[in-house]
Amino acid sequence: MSESAPAETPLDELVESVADRTGEEPESIRTWLEPFTDDGRVTSAAIESSVTDVSQILATAETRVDLATRTHDEATAADDAPDLEVVTVRRRAFGDRLDDLRAEVEALGDDLGAARSGLAEPVAVYRAAVALHEITTEAQDIVRVAHDLETELEAFEAWLRSANRRHGALVDEVEAAEESAAALTETVESLRDADDPDPGRRFDATVQTRVLDLVVADLRAEADDLRAWAHRDGAPFPDDVDARIDDLESAVAEHADALGDRPGRDGEFGERLDALDAELEAVEPPVAWARVDETVAEARSALSEDGAPGDEAAN
């Protein structure tokens, strides 16, 4: 612990001092300082114990990221997958997520170093207590995310090694898109039959239509790559996939026609829809869906920001 860590100080005294200097609620301050407290006093030993606990949690996060990295290396090192975009885009996405996790762990290490130094003043002690809690929460999130990523990487390795898994996953994706299109059909029909269609629901249905159009293009590109892969390996490819994707494309086009060429283009809705169109037009399959999801979430936030009716339809 820093040499400037305080000697034993009554908790009440420290809470009062911090409240006077920050204007924050004493009970909130007391709650944050509780981990630094031993028998009613804030002590260097209690602070050191808290720092040690947080350091161990952060070390666990780092270990979990290392394990995910090892799984990633094993999943991609020894396969004979062809040089296809359907493979490349997945590898790139996993690599980017691992890079992000490593950067987050490194940043938390810096935060921990800052939190454990310069603790001579009451407010600094309080800020350190808050920082340690935040570091703990974020490190635990990293552990969870890295564990989930490791599981996904194991599934990716199995996908690389098995044509049946690849084709089954594609069929599942087609089925999910068909379910989304069917649900959207109900929404579009209700909007078409309404005397005064809700602008929020109309906007959201238009967003969903735009996304489904990109899903169809992505599915078609994936099917083309997987068919080429199957042909290379002499493996059978599902017969009905192309026809189902064609049907999806027709359904999405019908939804777009029913909603009109420029639906809900007034005010904030129109600006968000224009921005979404510009973003999605620049996307080419295979789609990096994490980025697209962020773009769509930004567009759909117009519903909650404007307090528009029909917000419940956004999900």
Side-chain angles (χ1 to χ4, degrees), residues 213-258:
D213 189 53
L214 187 58
V215 168
V216 169
D218 194 43
L219 287 172
R220 195 177 298 283
E222 182 174 353
D224 289 344
D225 275 2
L226 293 183
R227 184 184 300 103
W229 193 347
H231 178 72
R232 188 203 73 165
D233 294 347
F237 188 78
D239 294 331
D240 63 343
V241 164
D242 288 331
R244 293 171 69 176
I245 294 175
D246 288 343
D247 290 343
L248 268 171
E249 186 173 30
S250 297
V252 173
E254 290 176 4
H255 295 333
D257 289 342

Side-chain angles (χ1 to χ4, degrees), residues 37-314:
T37 304
D38 183 14
D39 195 22
R41 304 177 74 84
V42 175
T43 69
S44 297
I47 295 173
E48 180 65 34
S49 177
S50 293
V51 170
T52 299
D53 290 343
V54 175
S55 297
Q56 291 174 346
I57 293 170
L58 185 55
T60 299
E62 185 174 9
T63 298
R64 181 54 68 179
V65 173
D66 287 343
L67 289 172
T69 300
R70 186 182 309 167
T71 302
H72 173 267
D73 293 344
E74 292 173 352
T76 59
D79 68 88
D80 63 344
D83 184 17
L84 296 169
E85 281 296 305
V86 71
V87 177
T88 301
V89 72
R90 284 167 166 80
R91 284 177 168 161
R92 185 185 305 123
F94 283 125
D96 289 346
R97 289 166 66 185
L98 281 169
D99 288 344
D100 289 343
L101 288 175
R102 293 190 198 99
E104 290 174 19
V105 169
E106 183 176 351
L108 289 182
D110 293 341
D111 292 344
L112 179 60
R116 67 189 303 172
S117 62
L119 297 177
E121 297 295 327
V123 172
V125 174
Y126 167 61
R127 299 299 185 205
V130 175
L132 289 178
H133 176 80
E134 292 174 348
I135 293 167
T136 297
T137 300
E138 293 178 27
Q140 290 170 335
D141 285 343
I142 289 173
V143 169
R144 174 183 54 78
V145 171
H147 179 271
D148 291 345
L149 180 55
E150 188 176 2
T151 300
E152 291 179 47
L153 283 162
E154 291 170 349
F156 175 58
E157 181 176 15
W159 181 90
L160 285 171
R161 299 180 185 281
S162 170
N164 287 338
R165 285 182 180 271
R166 293 192 294 273
H167 301 162
L170 174 63
V171 170
D172 288 344
E173 292 168 5
V174 171
E175 289 179 353
E178 289 170 338
E179 291 173 2
S180 296
L184 184 57
T185 297
E186 296 180 6
T187 301
V188 172
E189 289 178 350
S190 67
L191 288 168
R192 184 173 51 199
D193 295 341
D195 293 331
D196 185 19
D198 179 85
R201 294 188 69 217
R202 189 182 186 94
F203 169 80
D204 189 61
T206 304
V207 171
Q208 292 181 52
T209 301
R210 301 291 199 273
V211 173
L212 271 175
D213 189 53
L214 187 58
V215 168
V216 169
D218 194 43
L219 287 172
R220 195 177 298 283
E222 182 174 353
D224 289 344
D225 275 2
L226 293 183
R227 184 184 300 103
W229 193 347
H231 178 72
R232 188 203 73 165
D233 294 347
F237 188 78
D239 294 331
D240 63 343
V241 164
D242 288 331
R244 293 171 69 176
I245 294 175
D246 288 343
D247 290 343
L248 268 171
E249 186 173 30
S250 297
V252 173
E254 290 176 4
H255 295 333
D257 289 342
L259 290 167
D261 189 37
R262 292 178 61 82
R265 291 284 185 172
D266 296 330
E268 180 72 7
F269 284 172
E271 293 175 6
R272 295 297 179 95
L273 202 53
D274 287 339
L276 177 65
D277 285 344
E279 291 279 355
L280 296 187
E281 285 172 4
V283 176
E284 295 183 359
V287 176
W289 282 106
R291 180 68 186 95
V292 171
D293 289 344
E294 291 176 4
T295 301
V296 172
E298 175 65 20
R300 296 176 76 182
S301 68
L303 291 171
S304 58
E305 288 177 7
D306 287 0
D311 192 23
E312 71 280 356

